[in-house]
Amino acid sequence: GENVEQHPSTLSVQEGDSAVIKCTYSDSASNYFPWYKQELGKGPQLIIDIRSNVGEKKDQRIAVTLNKTAKHFSLHITETQPEDSAVYFCAASKNTGGFKTIFGAGTRLFVKA
Amino acid sequence: DTGVSQNPRHKITKRGQNVTFRCDPISEHNRLYWYRQTLGQGPEFLTYFQNEAQLEKSRLLSDRFSAERPKGSFSTLEIQRTEQGDSAMYLCASSLGTGSNQPQHFGDGTRLSIL
């Protein structure tokens, strides 16, 4: 069945360092890959997304890469700040089946000041 | 605030009771989704509406669960005869409706606790 695996489950970095979160997906028909940030007591907030016709996308300190052949995609956060501390979810979706989004299990990111 | 709104934020009830949650999507969004999230996990898809039509339901959605979106605007999710395992955060999301995937915007959820 459809599955998204996410690693690591916990990541601790020093302020100013980079953080990388990696995901793999199983359904080759997936064509849309959003990333969400979730803070305590809040719903997931979209931070960046990438479509399958693009290999890389960047928005200020955040970048995503996609390798369709290997079914891998990654989130890169540079110059991390304490306010980046949160749980990050990768997800995969396709144009059929109700556009349902399959989420990874999440990565808890700690940025130490 | 023009984001997705969910009510109530918290619901505590005894096992066996019925509960109903409400979601008000972003006004111009015609797609609406319900998800369930348990501690330490990502959201799990439950169901999807395009306008008032419920087009997709997960196998997670047992016959005790029912969702409606009668006028294509707000939606309700009802759980009948609640069980301990229903304790979770119930999230609603909405998106624009075009032929392709569009970003889903989430509300802050309703946290359900079954005593």
Side-chain angles (χ1 to χ4, degrees):
Chain A
E2 301 150 333
N3 187 46
V4 174
E5 294 196 0
Q6 182 171 348
H7 300 280
S9 57
T10 306
L11 179 59
S12 184
V13 300
Q14 202 68 37
E15 181 179 3
D17 288 349
S18 294
V20 179
I21 301 170
K22 298 183 178 182
C23 291
T24 60
Y25 61 98
S26 61
D27 190 342
S28 56
S30 298
N31 61 356
Y32 176 66
F33 305 92
W35 285 86
Y36 288 88
K37 175 183 181 182
Q38 188 172 28
E39 297 176 326
L40 197 62
K42 300 284 189 180
Q45 179 187 7
L46 181 74
I47 56 172
I48 196 167
D49 56 10
I50 190 168
R51 298 187 185 275
S52 58
N53 58 348
V54 175
E56 186 173 354
K57 184 176 178 180
K58 189 174 182 180
D59 182 5
Q60 299 183 342
R61 296 186 297 110
I62 295 173
V64 290
T65 59
L66 171 64
N67 182 329
K68 283 173 51 181
T69 303
K71 292 191 249 180
H72 290 173
F73 57 118
S74 300
L75 176 72
H76 304 250
I77 305 174
T78 58
E79 301 171 20
T80 53
Q81 302 165 2
E83 50 265 39
D84 294 330
S85 297
V87 180
Y88 291 81
F89 292 98
C90 63
S93 183
K94 58 185 179 183
N95 285 347
T96 58
F99 304 97
K100 65 182 176 183
T101 301
I102 307 299
F103 285 79
T107 295
R108 184 171 294 278
L109 175 64
F110 296 95
V111 180
K112 295 175 286 185
Chain B
D1 184 8
T2 57
V4 177
S5 177
Q6 291 190 247
N7 288 289
R9 291 297 314 279
H10 300 94
K11 180 69 178 178
I12 301 173
T13 192
K14 293 181 179 180
R15 187 177 54 186
Q17 297 295 305
N18 299 343
V19 293
T20 300
F21 312 139
R22 176 178 170 125
C23 171
D24 287 272
I26 294 171
S27 58
E28 62 267 30
H29 287 182
N30 60 344
R31 291 182 185 163
L32 187 146
Y33 314 78
W34 284 98
Y35 292 83
R36 181 173 68 189
Q37 185 177 28
T38 53
L39 201 61
Q41 297 297 316
E44 294 175 292
F45 172 84
L46 292 178
T47 191
Y48 156 69
F49 289 86
Q50 174 93 20
N51 299 310
E52 67 276 7
Q54 188 174 19
L55 298 183
E56 187 78 14
K57 289 172 63 173
S58 165
R59 282 171 289 183
L60 292 174
L61 215 63
S62 76
D63 56 6
R64 295 185 299 106
F65 288 70
S66 62
E68 294 182 343
R69 194 182 183 200
K71 296 182 180 180
S73 55
F74 74 92
S75 176
T76 57
L77 178 68
E78 180 183 16
I79 309 174
Q80 296 182 324
R81 306 181 302 281
T82 52
E83 301 173 355
Q84 293 279 359
D86 297 332
S87 294
M89 175 79 84
Y90 290 84
L91 293 163
C92 175
S94 69
S95 73
L96 288 169
T98 67
S100 63
N101 269 305
Q102 296 297 321
Q104 294 179 24
H105 300 266
F106 282 81
D108 286 336
T110 295
R111 181 167 295 283
L112 174 64
S113 298
I114 306 298
L115 301 177

